[in-house]
Amino acid sequence: MNTKPIIFSGLQATGIPTLGSLLGAIRNWARLTTDYNCLYCVVDMHSMTIRQDPAALRNYSRMALAWFVALGLDPKECTLYFQSHVPAHAELAWILNCFTYVGELNRMTQFKDKSAKNEDNINAGLYTYPVLQAADILLYQANLVPVGEDQRQHLELCRDIAMRFNKIYGDIFTVPEAYIPPVGAKIMGLQNPEKKMSKSETENEGNLVSLSDTDSDIIKKFKRAVTDSDNEIRFAPEKPGISNLLTIYACATGKTIPESEAYFSGMGYGQLKMGVGEAVVAMLKPYRDTYDRLMADNAYLDSVITQGAQKARAMSEVTLKNVKQAIGYPMQPE
Ligand code: TYM
């Protein structure tokens, strides 16, 4: 039996993963696979809160899973799967809905932001999205949840729901901790460094770097990155464009922020942008080659998907059974 502490995290398949998802989350996931029993999920059920083209959703989901493997998540060491393959997520989400207050959901900033962006489709799924997220995590008794800064509020709600439930029914759920990296937890857009780089960006392609961008696209995007007018390479809140470039460089090279500032000291913004672009190209290259190889190997990817679903189903059913018993559902006939 695996006695390591448990990690759960997820990624929405609404587009090709970005440099933001890689630096804020997936890279840290890969670092944790030896010390933890890790489950990493393509959360395709979450993606339904915004209208999706069915073929595109299926395609992006498979691509996301191939990226997981290419970025170093070894399916022999961790469980990689699609959320929609494990019905316990939806079952537990319903139960947890009944332990979550509308006042709490009303405070969720992502709900407010996404509602503002999709005024014609403010659906109930978008509203209860954080409850499904709590179910994802609590089903596996996760101890740690590595995420970017934008998920902090959802994690806090998940902890509140778990504690509320445990207070009534005893210690059913592990109360998880968020793991938010000190550097890279919020990679900003290259064109709009005041806002998070997001894979659902459609208006301005130059704002995001996707993991599938070619080397020349990446360099072009960095060359056009927004900076400021004083030509001083320094990490500071009043310099969001420069700070974002220094953060990306630090993450891509493994240097600290002060080391990155020192490296570029005395150089101009043109050299900074080129230097960061080249560092990103060098970092992504080996991953991209592996990804292309994986996407061409359908039999292997299918086997990863099947095994992941089986492992996740078995783990999730243990918690779901305990929950059903605790709340008073009639015993299931065998
Ligand atoms: P998603 O798909 O938006 O993003 C996946 C992960 O990448 C992080 N991330 C970023 N980090 C830094 N800078 C950025 N620009 C950036 N963009 C994305 C996110 O913080 C996230 O960790 N609701 C979640 C998915 C989810 C989940 C879960 C996560 C569903 N259930 C349970 C953890 C546990 C989301 O939409 O992530």
Side-chain angles (χ1 to χ4, degrees), residues 144-211:
L144 200 66
V145 184
V147 284
E149 179 61 43
D150 61 333
Q151 298 301 318
R152 189 188 287 276
Q153 196 185 30
H154 287 167
L155 256 288
E156 274 162 17
L157 177 63
C158 171
R159 287 169 54 84
D160 289 344
I161 297 171
M163 287 189 276
R164 182 172 304 143
F165 193 95
N166 285 351
K167 209 166 159 202
I168 306 172
Y169 299 106
D171 279 343
I172 302 285
F173 295 127
T174 302
V175 181
E177 300 282 340
Y179 172 81
I180 297 175
V183 180
K186 196 167 188 187
I187 300 295
M188 311 306 265
L190 297 186
Q191 289 300 314
N192 181 359
E194 313 265 4
K195 267 184 67 192
K196 181 188 83 157
M197 183 184 286
S198 161
K199 60 179 146 354
S200 44
E201 171 86 67
T202 45
E203 279 142 43
N204 185 352
E205 256 245 40
N207 203 35
L208 68 88
V209 174
S210 107
L211 298 189

